[in-house]
Amino acid sequence: MKRFESNVQANQERFLGELQEFCRKPSIIAQGIGIEETAEWVCDRLRRAGFESKVVAVEGGAPVVYGEIGSGDKTLMMYNHYDVQPPEPLELWDSGPFEAKIRAGRVWARGVSDNKGPLMARVQAIEAYQQAVGELPIRIKWVIEGEEEIGSPNLGRFVDENRELLEGADACLWEGGGRDGAGRPVISLGMKGIAYLGLSVSGAGSDLHSMNGAIVGNPAWRLIWALASLKDENENISVDGLMDYVAEPTEEEWAFIRRIPFDEEESKRDFGITSFLKGATGTDVVKQLLYDPTCTVCGILTGYTGPGPKTVLPNEASAKVDFRLVPDLNPELVLRLVREHLDRRGFTDVNVELLAQLWPYRSPVEHPWVDASIAVARDVFGAEPVVYPSSAGGGPMYQLCGTFGIPGIAGGGAGNPNGNLHAPNENIYVEDYMRTIRYTGRLIDALGSL
Amino acid sequence: MKRFESNVQANQERFLGELQEFCRKPSIIAQGIGIEETAEWVCDRLRRAGFESKVVAVEGGAPVVYGEIGSGDKTLMMYNHYDVQPPEPLELWDSGPFEAKIRAGRVWARGVSDNKGPLMARVQAIEAYQQAVGELPIRIKWVIEGEEEIGSPNLGRFVDENRELLEGADACLWEGGGRDGAGRPVISLGMKGIAYLGLSVSGAGSDLHSMNGAIVGNPAWRLIWALASLKDENENISVDGLMDYVAEPTEEEWAFIRRIPFDEEESKRDFGITSFLKGATGTDVVKQLLYDPTCTVCGILTGYTGPGPKTVLPNEASAKVDFRLVPDLNPELVLRLVREHLDRRGFTDVNVELLAQLWPYRSPVEHPWVDASIAVARDVFGAEPVVYPSSAGGGPMYQLCGTFGIPGIAGGGAGNPNGNLHAPNENIYVEDYMRTIRYTGRLIDALGSL
């Protein structure tokens, strides 16, 4: 791998120039900007790196770029996305979000960390590997979607329609990861799911004077009582039957949890809180974050919310509730459990709809490909990796990894703790970018030797 | 009283012209417009009608106009207000809110019904009585405040500072009243009070990603649980001890309640509902409206309330809750009971403040002055009066009537059921205005003969 390392080193300037070129192509899925063109560009770039690649149309959605390369009896699936978040508010950027300037050792651009940097680094790594070492020792099946930033609504359909193409992988190298503030590489082996519900209740024909509160029903009260039945004052989710689907971590998983560095006081300071939920301390905080499902009220709106008093009896009330899901929960199940729970308590007047959804997925934590991804990260970053047996966040890992029952390894990304993902001044360090290229090439090599 | 009636009849045009002049003077307390000038104008008008009148400054508030006239051992207090609601939204008025146009038998102006019409009618009635009959057979003490539309925050102070002036009345003729759709005069013998509370809870230092819902407390949940403890799913107020202060109507009061005409189906249609609270029907609906305290959520705001999903853990949550009070509740008592109730349940993190307040007041229903006011109404309107032993609405009746322990009789006003109080196109019928003048003169005469 020495020749690989020198090749990468020698090409740094070209690699960065190409990353800038990629970042200068806006591909904002939420605004429908540049999607098809960017997909074609990415497909072409894969082809130039030796991939057999194609742009796969998905009915009603953004196209998926699919590429294959390499040979052998081992197959690594890879997942990335070419779409980015909207760049607004523009005035908060120090340089244009699609200028992709290099400044103070970092590349600044919308999507450079999430996810164009890691994507391009993987192309360049594979290209460099072939130039420096030769043919890839494993097969690669690469799925690059264009709707990640709006919740991957059509990835499941793509998988269903292209099952034969995708089958047979041993593991999936997911997007994401990077390093923490102490320089430790971060790897996640699973993701929570989401059931994001909208609840609403209607009352009288119009808002009324609040003096009528003695004789006319109030949708705000109906909503409050319905919500209060979903989670109790001890912070336990009380939706009938929901917790039956939730397993505690295994001993194996506890071992991973205990190894995650966690500075309790610093974390409290960062959040601006004096204690964690349920009075948790130490490792239990980490366990809750990664292994507990959540039921979070994200918003409520009803009646008058301006300054001072207004004596109104509202006729509409609505709330948004985000359930973060762990196995064996899933969005449709949660919707059904909540509906039945409310009906059982007479809340048939409370309308419930699913506004966003993701299935949870958790990888096996003891697996030779997981071990290899950790070992390579240790080597490339020169620090002990922080391995999350599951991420607190969500992503469409289930659609790819769950469908085929393979580990999902989110690691080797170029992120840094001040990378401003989804925010103005998104950035990656040049150094982290080069590490991502090296990580990818070395992981491929290591997997070939397993 | 024949000469009084003909005098009133003969002066109709002049009376209406003067009412228009009064309505053309904006006196919008919420916007601080025209208050002092209008107080001076009203004081002067009382003086010209024979009153000994003065403008009484109230520290930090709008001045009160106070007038006395007449003699004898019987004294009628009267209460009106010269301030009006803001006229906005202006574009919904068919003629300017301060033009006071007469059109199709009605006078259209902001404040013409609430409360400048009834106020001017009383001046003109007293003036006409003197011209046609002679000196008043009773004494009158008239309090005309300028802050009714913002909840009379300083009326209590005025009463405290002018106790000797106000003492010794037998009853108080309140503002309000008018006629219902069937032409029946409406009289109310009491008013509910208000404790309008603002509740708020704070959480982390800022809004967070909702994935942190597993480890960081959510002020929205705290607020929901706190609110849910105030009123149960059977629509019963469950604030510890609150209902101990609430008495059921006496047999005497039930007799009044049963006499109130109530069209259940029409009322449901008007509200756009299919059933009343607690499944009440018939007379029980009227009883609830007039005699039950309320606990109404008027508004809640927390987190993200726009379209679609946003995965946010809010760090602020607030609600507005309107308690309508019946004797023996009062605002300070309710604030204390709610505070203690929440503290007892560990909701010390829920901040509670009183945003608006009014004490409830209920008049004796069997009283010769009440009887006289009903009899005169029957006579002047030519229909059986509808007598509410207490109003569902609120007003500062307690400050004047409660302080001196005298009946408060809200009747003889010029309102009609489509009078658009507090709304665009506020109006009174010319015919109703003239009836208010006749009602006032005849009531004074009747009280003199008691």
Side-chain angles (χ1 to χ4, degrees):
Chain A
M1 291 302 287
K2 231 175 171 162
R3 291 189 51 199
F4 170 75
E5 297 272 1
S6 353
N7 182 297
V8 170
Q9 199 52 49
N11 282 289
Q12 172 166 332
E13 210 153 316
R14 181 170 69 80
F15 287 166
L16 288 172
E18 200 173 36
L19 170 63
Q20 288 174 298
E21 186 189 347
F22 187 22
C23 291
R24 286 174 185 144
K25 310 180 76 62
S27 49
I28 312 165
I29 183 64
Q31 302 171 348
I33 294 173
I35 293 300
E36 275 74 15
E37 306 88 286
T38 306
E40 290 294 344
W41 191 91
V42 170
C43 181
D44 187 58
R45 183 64 188 88
L46 260 58
R47 195 169 296 128
R48 283 191 285 120
F51 278 84
E52 216 173 281
S53 67
K54 57 182 174 181
V55 172
V56 184
V58 182
E59 203 195 313
V64 172
V65 178
Y66 179 74
E68 284 195 14
I69 195 170
S71 58
D73 53 359
K74 284 173 268 188
T75 302
L76 178 67
M77 187 186 282
M78 298 201 303
Y79 168 82
N80 287 86
H81 61 92
Y82 63 84
D83 62 308
V84 302
Q85 281 277 325
E88 288 79 9
L90 297 173
E91 66 277 14
L92 297 185
W93 286 80
D94 292 332
S95 54
F98 301 108
E99 275 187 76
K101 283 215 173 151
I102 298 180
R103 202 170 64 243
R106 301 194 226 183
V107 189
W108 305 80
R110 166 55 78 234
V112 68
S113 180
D114 182 14
N115 180 242
K116 285 178 171 169
L119 193 169
M120 183 52 71
R122 288 178 180 177
V123 183
Q124 293 165 344
I126 288 164
E127 196 172 53
Y129 189 95
Q130 294 173 89
Q131 287 169 5
V133 185
E135 214 194 323
L136 299 196
I138 58 170
R139 286 174 66 81
I140 287 182
K141 290 167 180 274
W142 199 357
V143 175
I144 304 173
E145 72 152 321
E147 299 186 323
E148 199 272 346
E149 298 298 1
I150 56 166
S152 306
N154 296 294
L155 186 60
R157 175 183 298 179
F158 167 79
V159 173
D160 285 346
E161 292 174 354
N162 297 277
R163 223 163 222 283
E164 312 83 69
L165 210 61
L166 303 170
E167 257 163 1
D170 297 275
C172 179
L173 183 59
W174 203 255
E175 62 130 348
R179 59 166 177 81
D180 69 11
R184 293 173 294 224
V186 177
I187 294 173
S188 297
L189 301 175
M191 288 182 167
K192 281 190 180 176
I194 297 178
Y196 194 104
L197 305 184
L199 278 69
S200 59
V201 195
S202 293
S206 63
D207 281 358
L208 298 172
H209 191 294
S210 62
M211 71 181 178
N212 295 301
I215 58 171
V216 176
N218 185 344
W221 275 123
R222 297 292 298 164
L223 183 68
I224 289 164
W225 295 324
L227 288 171
S229 78
L230 302 181
K231 193 175 178 188
D232 71 24
E233 291 175 35
N234 297 319
E235 304 284 355
N236 296 312
I237 297 175
S238 45
V239 175
D240 295 341
L242 190 145
M243 293 304 290
D244 298 345
Y245 292 86
V246 177
E248 286 295 296
T250 61
E251 257 320 300
E252 226 171 24
E253 291 171 322
W254 266 113
F256 275 90
I257 295 168
R258 286 195 200 95
R259 281 198 296 269
I260 294 171
F262 174 61
D263 186 329
E264 194 172 325
E265 291 311 315
E266 188 188 0
S267 179
K268 284 196 277 194
R269 263 197 313 277
D270 286 351
F271 285 131
I273 59 177
T274 54
S275 63
F276 287 102
L277 211 68
K278 302 187 184 184
T281 58
T283 304
D284 286 338
V285 178
V286 181
K287 180 260 168 187
Q288 276 178 210
L289 182 63
L290 306 184
Y291 280 84
D292 283 7
T294 69
C295 172
T296 300
V297 170
C298 297
I300 308 180
L301 180 63
T302 185
Y304 176 73
T305 57
K310 184 182 175 191
T311 50
V312 64
L313 173 62
N315 78 326
E316 296 283 353
S318 63
K320 294 173 195 282
V321 183
D322 174 357
F323 287 86
R324 295 274 153 165
L325 312 181
V326 296
D328 294 322
L329 292 167
N330 70 64
E332 290 295 337
L333 172 66
V334 169
L335 176 64
R336 180 170 66 76
L337 290 175
V338 168
R339 180 72 272 164
E340 290 172 359
H341 170 98
L342 292 175
D343 289 348
R344 209 170 281 126
R345 284 158 182 78
F347 291 115
T348 51
D349 54 333
V350 178
N351 180 53
V352 184
E353 57 179 328
L354 201 49
L355 298 180
Q357 52 179 310
L358 277 177
W359 281 56
Y361 188 64
R362 212 174 275 160
S363 284
V365 291
E366 301 285 2
H367 186 281
W369 290 46
V370 172
D371 294 343
S373 70
I374 296 170
V376 173
R378 183 183 296 119
D379 211 34
V380 170
F381 286 79
E384 188 54 37
V386 178
V387 181
Y388 287 87
S390 177
S391 155
M397 193 180 266
Y398 178 85
Q399 275 99 315
L400 281 172
C401 304
T403 304
F404 301 106
I406 54 174
I409 304 160
N416 70 76
N418 302 309
N420 299 324
L421 272 66
H422 295 205
N425 297 319
E426 182 173 350
N427 68 85
I428 57 174
Y429 283 83
V430 168
E431 207 179 345
D432 289 326
Y433 183 69
M434 298 309 290
R435 262 198 283 260
T436 294
I437 298 176
R438 292 170 54 223
Y439 177 83
T440 307
R442 294 186 59 161
L443 179 62
I444 287 167
D445 200 62
L447 294 175
S449 319
L450 278 182
Chain B
M1 290 302 287
K2 233 177 168 160
R3 291 188 53 199
F4 169 76
E5 297 272 1
S6 356
N7 181 297
V8 170
Q9 198 53 48
N11 282 290
Q12 173 167 328
E13 210 154 319
R14 181 170 68 80
F15 287 167
L16 288 172
E18 202 173 36
L19 170 62
Q20 289 174 299
E21 184 189 350
F22 187 22
C23 289
R24 287 174 184 145
K25 310 180 78 62
S27 49
I28 311 165
I29 183 64
Q31 302 171 349
I33 295 172
I35 294 300
E36 276 74 16
E37 307 88 285
T38 306
E40 289 294 346
W41 190 91
V42 169
C43 182
D44 187 58
R45 182 64 189 87
L46 261 59
R47 195 170 295 125
R48 283 190 285 118
F51 278 84
E52 217 173 277
S53 66
K54 57 183 175 179
V55 172
V56 185
V58 182
E59 203 194 314
V64 172
V65 178
Y66 180 74
E68 285 195 14
I69 195 171
S71 58
D73 53 2
K74 283 174 272 189
T75 301
L76 178 68
M77 186 186 282
M78 297 199 304
Y79 168 81
N80 288 87
H81 61 93
Y82 63 84
D83 61 311
V84 301
Q85 281 278 323
E88 287 78 11
L90 296 173
E91 66 278 13
L92 296 186
W93 286 80
D94 293 332
S95 55
F98 300 109
E99 275 187 76
K101 283 213 171 154
I102 298 180
R103 201 170 66 242
R106 304 194 223 184
V107 190
W108 305 80
R110 166 56 78 233
V112 68
S113 180
D114 182 14
N115 181 244
K116 285 177 170 170
L119 193 168
M120 182 52 69
R122 288 177 180 177
V123 184
Q124 292 166 344
I126 288 163
E127 197 173 54
Y129 189 97
Q130 295 172 89
Q131 286 169 6
V133 186
E135 214 192 322
L136 299 196
I138 58 171
R139 287 174 65 82
I140 286 180
K141 291 168 179 272
W142 199 357
V143 175
I144 304 173
E145 72 153 318
E147 298 185 325
E148 199 273 344
E149 298 296 0
I150 55 165
S152 306
N154 296 294
L155 185 62
R157 175 184 295 175
F158 166 79
V159 173
D160 284 348
E161 290 173 359
N162 296 279
R163 224 162 220 284
E164 314 84 68
L165 212 59
L166 302 171
E167 254 162 3
D170 297 274
C172 179
L173 183 61
W174 203 255
E175 62 130 348
R179 59 164 177 82
D180 67 12
R184 294 173 293 223
V186 177
I187 294 173
S188 297
L189 302 174
M191 288 181 169
K192 281 189 179 175
I194 296 178
Y196 194 103
L197 305 184
L199 277 69
S200 58
V201 194
S202 293
S206 63
D207 281 358
L208 298 174
H209 191 292
S210 62
M211 70 182 179
N212 295 302
I215 58 171
V216 177
N218 185 344
W221 275 123
R222 298 293 298 163
L223 183 68
I224 288 164
W225 296 324
L227 287 171
S229 78
L230 302 180
K231 192 175 179 188
D232 70 26
E233 291 175 37
N234 298 318
E235 303 285 355
N236 296 311
I237 298 174
S238 45
V239 175
D240 295 342
L242 189 144
M243 293 304 292
D244 299 345
Y245 293 85
V246 177
E248 286 295 297
T250 61
E251 258 320 299
E252 228 171 24
E253 290 171 321
W254 265 114
F256 275 91
I257 294 168
R258 286 194 201 95
R259 280 198 297 269
I260 294 171
F262 174 60
D263 185 330
E264 196 172 323
E265 293 310 315
E266 188 187 359
S267 179
K268 284 196 276 193
R269 262 197 313 279
D270 286 352
F271 284 131
I273 58 177
T274 54
S275 63
F276 287 103
L277 211 68
K278 300 185 186 186
T281 57
T283 303
D284 285 338
V285 178
V286 181
K287 181 261 168 184
Q288 274 177 213
L289 182 63
L290 306 183
Y291 280 83
D292 284 6
T294 68
C295 173
T296 300
V297 170
C298 296
I300 308 179
L301 181 62
T302 185
Y304 175 72
T305 58
K310 186 182 172 189
T311 50
V312 63
L313 172 63
N315 78 325
E316 296 284 352
S318 63
K320 295 174 193 281
V321 182
D322 173 358
F323 286 86
R324 295 273 152 167
L325 312 181
V326 295
D328 294 322
L329 292 167
N330 70 64
E332 290 296 337
L333 171 65
V334 168
L335 176 64
R336 182 170 64 75
L337 290 176
V338 168
R339 180 73 270 163
E340 290 172 358
H341 170 97
L342 293 176
D343 289 350
R344 210 171 281 126
R345 284 158 182 78
F347 291 115
T348 51
D349 53 333
V350 177
N351 181 54
V352 183
E353 58 177 330
L354 202 49
L355 298 180
Q357 53 179 312
L358 276 176
W359 281 56
Y361 188 63
R362 213 174 275 163
S363 284
V365 289
E366 302 283 2
H367 186 282
W369 289 46
V370 172
D371 295 343
S373 70
I374 295 171
V376 172
R378 183 183 296 120
D379 214 32
V380 170
F381 285 80
E384 188 56 36
V386 178
V387 182
Y388 287 86
S390 177
S391 155
M397 192 180 264
Y398 179 87
Q399 276 99 314
L400 281 171
C401 305
T403 305
F404 301 107
I406 55 174
I409 304 160
N416 70 75
N418 302 308
N420 299 325
L421 272 68
H422 294 205
N425 297 318
E426 182 173 349
N427 68 85
I428 58 173
Y429 283 83
V430 168
E431 207 179 344
D432 288 326
Y433 183 68
M434 298 308 292
R435 263 199 283 260
T436 294
I437 298 175
R438 291 170 54 222
Y439 177 84
T440 308
R442 294 186 59 160
L443 179 63
I444 287 167
D445 199 62
L447 295 176
S449 320
L450 279 184

